[in-house]
């Protein structure tokens, strides 16, 4: 089989597509023939070696994939069944989806939801799945479409663009924050009603600013998240799921104790099975058909390493779909 393999030489990460024997796949109850994968921010960090994502080499990256069961030792899955996977450390410490086959634990797989196929599942991918978890966090915090405006940072990325499409479809009014003015038309097509430059959120902010947002989905962290927290309405909720701008949080307790603001962390790696299934059902029901048309760029497995470099440079908007077969 063909796989994108990461190896290390003199401290540098080397990525190349090469033949790999299926016998080399790690242990697991289910072997999947992969049709589609995608490029996520974490994949880009792993492939380029820009982040300490990979701890052991060689490694096949790819934190999500969709395909059909090739062989199963678990009664929950049968040969030929369509399945998908996101998270669980796949592509980080267990060989992942940027290959023609993967062998994984049965507990990590999700049967393909009704109304979805492998290509659409990977257009959504980990990014869309994470965005849905963020939307659910806002809902569980009591934020409704009539509560006020919702802010989405890192809006032109995979999570951000998916979040805008979901929120818009659910009736929320969305303001998008992006560092690239060239993406504004794209973000409006997804459903954002207004745009703000990232520069407005990268300066040191006061502990409390003017109240502007009922809810927010933040993919950036650091000063951007601190600025967002300072601008939240009383009782507002911020779902934080990323650290593209850094892992620090230079803020104070003031938004939390004076404005009753809630900061909800959102993890997409170790989500329990029942919540995974619920999130995927919501995604199928909520995302408009147009999302699958204008939010996607499709590449071959051989182009994945170059795509990872471009993603980190901010040259890619929306989702990058990797066609494996």
């Amino acid at each position: 089989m063909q796989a994108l393999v990461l190896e290390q030489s003199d401290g540098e990460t080397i990525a190349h597509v090469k033949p790999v024997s299926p016998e080399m796949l790690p242990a697991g109850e289910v072997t999947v023939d992969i049709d589609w994968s995608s490029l996520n921010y974490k994949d880009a960090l792993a492939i380029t070696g820009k982040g300490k994502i990979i701890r052991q080499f060689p490694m096949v990256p790819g934190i999500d994939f969709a395909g059909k069961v090739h062989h199963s030792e678990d009664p929950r899955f049968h040969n030929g069944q369509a399945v998908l996977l996101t998270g669980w450390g796949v592509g980080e410490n267990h060989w992942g989806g940027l290959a023609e086959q993967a062998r994984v634990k049965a507990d990590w797989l999700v049967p393909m939801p009704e109304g979805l196929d492998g290509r659409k599942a990977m257009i959504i991918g980990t990014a869309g799945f994470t965005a849905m978890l963020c939307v659910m966090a806002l809902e569980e915090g009591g934020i409704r479409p009539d509560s006020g405006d919702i802010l989405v940072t890192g809006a032109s990325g995979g999570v951000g663009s998916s979040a805008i499409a979901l929120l818009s479809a659910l009736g929320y009014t969305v303001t998008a924050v992006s560092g690239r003015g060239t993406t504004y038309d794209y973000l409006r097509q997804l459903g954002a009603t207004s745009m703000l430059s990232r520069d407005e959120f990268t300066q040191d902010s006061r502990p409390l600013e003017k109240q502007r947002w009922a809810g927010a989905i933040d993919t950036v962290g650091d000063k951007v998240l601190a600025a967002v927290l300072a601008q939240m309405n009383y009782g507002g909720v911020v779902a934080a799921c990323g650290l593209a701008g850094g892992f620090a949080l230079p803020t104070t307790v003031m938004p939390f104790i004076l404005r009753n603001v809630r900061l909800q962390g959102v993890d997409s790696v170790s989500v329990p099975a029942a919540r995974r299934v619920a999130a995927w059902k919501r995604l199928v029901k909520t995302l408009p058909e147009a999302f699958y048309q204008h939010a996607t760029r499709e590449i071959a497995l051989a182009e994945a390493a170059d795509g990872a470099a471009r993603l980190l440079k901010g040259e890619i908007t929306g989702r990058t779909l990797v066609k494996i077969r």
Side-chain angles (χ1 to χ4, degrees):
M1 69 177 205
Q2 294 291 312
L4 178 64
V5 180
L6 304 183
E7 296 175 308
Q8 203 165 49
S9 176
D10 297 327
E12 297 291 323
T13 299
I14 309 299
H16 45 191
V17 175
K18 69 177 188 178
V20 174
S21 170
E23 283 71 32
M24 295 177 63
L25 291 171
E29 300 87 25
V30 185
T31 303
V32 179
D33 290 328
I34 300 174
D35 297 315
W36 301 93
S37 186
S38 70
L39 278 183
N40 298 276
Y41 185 71
K42 189 179 288 186
D43 295 319
L45 290 174
I47 293 168
T48 61
K50 301 293 186 182
K52 294 182 179 179
I53 304 298
I54 307 301
R55 303 292 182 179
Q56 57 188 27
F57 294 87
M59 178 59 61
V60 175
I63 65 173
D64 51 27
F65 64 76
K68 297 178 179 62
V69 173
H70 178 84
H71 174 74
S72 176
E73 298 173 1
D74 187 288
R76 290 172 292 177
F77 298 98
H78 59 267
N79 291 4
Q81 181 178 1
V83 294
L84 63 88
L85 180 145
T86 63
W88 297 115
V90 170
E92 300 177 66
N93 49 51
H94 187 101
W95 283 20
L98 290 173
E100 291 182 337
Q101 277 192 345
R103 186 178 296 127
V104 297
K105 292 184 178 181
D107 287 342
W108 298 348
L109 291 170
V110 174
M112 189 66 65
E114 185 177 351
L116 207 60
D117 58 29
R119 187 178 188 278
K120 285 185 174 180
M122 284 302 100
I123 292 175
I124 297 171
T126 298
F129 176 64
T130 303
M132 187 73 250
L133 294 174
C134 289
V135 172
M136 292 165 67
L138 295 185
E139 293 174 340
E140 290 159 3
I143 306 303
R144 302 289 180 259
D146 60 359
S147 299
D149 290 359
I150 309 298
L151 187 74
V152 176
T153 68
S156 59
V159 177
S161 57
S162 301
I164 291 170
L166 287 166
L167 289 165
S168 176
L170 291 168
Y172 291 87
T173 302
V174 185
T175 295
V177 179
S178 177
R180 291 179 283 165
T182 56
T183 66
Y184 286 1
D185 287 343
Y186 163 72
L187 297 175
R188 287 190 182 91
Q189 291 173 9
L190 289 173
T193 56
S194 56
M195 315 293 156
L196 293 174
S197 170
R198 184 175 56 202
D199 292 342
E200 296 185 35
F201 294 83
T202 54
Q203 307 303 315
D204 292 334
S205 63
R206 294 178 296 181
L208 293 175
E209 301 281 1
K210 179 182 178 181
Q211 298 183 47
R212 303 178 70 182
W213 320 111
I217 293 176
D218 176 65
T219 70
V220 182
D222 208 276
K223 289 184 177 181
V224 171
L225 177 53
V228 171
L229 287 167
Q231 296 178 18
M232 296 305 295
N233 293 353
Y234 186 91
V237 177
V238 179
C241 66
L243 42 67
F247 58 79
L249 183 53
T251 189
T252 72
V253 299
M254 302 292 272
F256 310 112
I257 64 174
L258 294 184
R259 289 186 180 166
N260 201 38
V261 171
R262 177 187 298 186
L263 176 58
Q264 177 64 56
V266 175
D267 161 64
S268 63
V269 175
S270 303
V271 184
R275 191 165 179 83
R276 284 179 183 273
V277 171
W280 279 103
K281 286 183 178 179
R282 290 285 307 277
L283 283 160
V284 175
K285 179 181 178 181
T286 307
L287 280 174
E289 190 64 28
F291 174 80
Y292 301 104
Q293 272 75 54
H294 60 228
T296 307
R297 171 177 174 265
E298 187 176 309
I299 63 174
L301 179 61
E303 301 172 277
D306 178 66
R310 293 189 60 204
L311 194 156
L312 287 190
K313 291 177 182 177
E315 297 175 357
I316 293 177
T317 298
R319 296 284 292 143
T320 297
L321 187 67
V322 183
K323 186 175 184 179
I324 305 296
R325 294 179 183 271

